[in-house]
Amino acid sequence: MKLATTTGDFFAYTDSQLDAMRHVREAGFKYADYSFHNIDCRYKSGVFAPDNKGYIESVNELADEIGLKFVQAHAPMGSPIAKDNAEFIKDTITCVKAASALGIPNIVVHSGYEQGLTKSETFKRNREFFLPVIDEAAECGVNILVENFNKMIV
């Protein structure tokens, strides 16, 4: 068994993924989930920076230095099945590519639900969201883990 926590758990204490990684390790964890949501996506920094190669190298170097292994990542949360979801699909694909570059084998992607949609329409929109993400994941050798497909009370 590998006990892990997410870098997102330390968002209240830092706006730096590198610092979050240090906090994770100082808390005694050897394994972690890289949260693309709280810092990278929210601030369009880290893997969302125009030239993210140096950033990715710094994450990999620090992980090696402190003995932290990423076992999975979490893609940003949002509205994957909204009609205007092109930017969200692009952001999710950016995270899949970054997970691959970071050597992270699995990425959690949240499915969507919108009040008032039929089950058939909900499935159709989720399929439309996931197809390009899955295609990119297959090219990158990253597994997609689907989470939290449920009704949300709005």
Side-chain angles (χ1 to χ4, degrees):
M1 181 176 88
K2 295 178 179 175
L3 186 59
T5 192
T6 177
T7 58
D9 285 347
F10 296 92
F11 176 64
Y13 307 105
T14 183
D15 59 359
S16 162
Q17 285 282 22
L18 300 176
D19 286 344
M21 290 168 60
R22 288 183 188 93
H23 290 309
V24 167
R25 192 63 186 102
E26 288 166 6
F29 293 94
K30 294 179 184 177
Y31 303 100
D33 169 304
Y34 187 105
S35 174
F36 290 107
H37 178 72
N38 289 339
I39 296 173
D40 295 62
C41 189
R42 182 171 288 175
Y43 298 125
K44 295 296 182 206
S45 64
V47 301
F48 287 93
D51 178 22
N52 66 10
K53 286 182 179 42
Y55 172 77
I56 288 171
E57 286 175 16
S58 67
V59 170
N60 282 330
E61 287 171 7
L62 179 61
D64 286 345
E65 178 186 319
I66 65 176
L68 186 66
K69 171 82 174 148
F70 289 108
V71 291
Q72 73 176 37
H74 255 80
M77 290 184 279
S79 300
I81 66 171
K83 290 186 189 271
D84 60 345
N85 68 351
E87 189 70 23
F88 190 74
I89 291 172
K90 180 181 167 209
D91 287 350
T92 304
I93 288 172
T94 295
C95 294
V96 167
K97 290 177 181 178
S100 178
L102 290 165
I104 302 172
N106 305 301
I107 186 168
V108 176
V109 178
H110 293 262
S111 59
Y113 173 83
E114 285 187 13
Q115 199 166 13
L117 293 180
T118 65
K119 181 174 92 172
S120 176
E121 184 64 20
T122 300
F123 283 15
K124 178 180 181 272
R125 287 202 197 167
N126 273 287
R127 184 177 191 277
E128 291 167 355
F129 164 71
F130 274 102
L131 282 177
V133 174
I134 289 169
D135 287 346
E136 189 64 43
E139 284 186 38
C140 292
V142 173
N143 299 307
I144 299 291
L145 311 176
V146 180
E147 185 176 80
N148 294 351
F149 182 84
N150 59 6
K151 281 188 174 183
M152 296 183 301
I153 299 172
V154 199

